[in-house]
Amino acid sequence: MQAAMGASLVTILVATIASWIFGSIWYGALGKRWMAASGLSEEDIKGKSGKVDPSPFIISFILEFIMAYVLAVLLLHTSDGSFSLASALVAAFILWLGFVFTTQTINHRYSMKPWSLTLIDSGHWLGVMLIQALVMAVMGL
């Protein structure tokens, strides 16, 4: 099944699921540190209901799907239609470094957040992009 601009929707969906699972593991392992760096408590996360609001998880899945789609389109349109695992990973890293890491760093500096938050969040997004690129290189677009 092909999406607009020739990318495989199945590959994009698998890349999204894999990167979303990675995020669950990443923040599961670093959740306490992330909350401390964010200045949030468990009560802040759960709110008055005592339950975690599912909307950030749903929103992150949708936006990671968009991220995977855009990465797929860029990989397809900056290559001759075929790309290696190495070139996909390099492209993902360069996009992360040029756009994600820079924006996260700027946002966190203006918000006066600690560097530990920048490292946790930026490390997550690097993992997301590398995993998406890996899936796309292995499965093909």
Side-chain angles (χ1 to χ4, degrees), residues 68-90:
Y69 178 77
V70 170
L71 179 59
V73 169
L74 286 171
L75 288 173
L76 283 172
H77 290 277
T78 58
S79 67
D80 59 358
S82 66
F83 48 87
S84 67
L85 174 60
S87 65
L89 292 174
V90 166

Side-chain angles (χ1 to χ4, degrees), residues 10-137:
V10 172
T11 300
I12 292 167
L13 185 58
V14 171
T16 302
I17 292 167
S19 61
W20 194 82
I21 290 170
F22 164 76
S24 299
I25 295 167
W26 181 266
Y27 284 107
L30 299 172
K32 299 259 187 238
R33 291 182 184 158
W34 177 84
M35 284 193 304
S38 296
L40 298 170
S41 68
E42 220 170 296
E43 294 77 34
D44 295 327
I45 299 292
K46 291 185 178 177
K48 293 179 183 179
S49 69
K51 296 180 181 180
V52 176
D53 177 8
S55 64
F57 301 100
I58 296 165
I59 292 166
S60 68
F61 186 86
I62 292 167
L63 295 178
E64 284 182 37
F65 181 86
I66 294 169
M67 182 182 281
Y69 178 77
V70 170
L71 179 59
V73 169
L74 286 171
L75 288 173
L76 283 172
H77 290 277
T78 58
S79 67
D80 59 358
S82 66
F83 48 87
S84 67
L85 174 60
S87 65
L89 292 174
V90 166
F93 176 79
I94 289 170
L95 290 167
W96 170 82
L97 182 63
F99 296 103
V100 178
F101 179 71
T102 54
T103 359
Q104 289 255 267
T105 302
I106 291 166
N107 288 347
H108 289 162
R109 298 298 57 85
Y110 276 107
S111 301
M112 303 303 186
K113 297 295 184 184
W115 278 101
S116 58
L117 182 63
T118 306
L119 295 175
I120 292 168
D121 286 345
S122 294
H124 162 255
W125 290 115
L126 175 60
V128 164
M129 294 191 77
L130 292 175
I131 287 167
Q132 289 182 353
L134 173 76
V135 169
M136 291 173 196

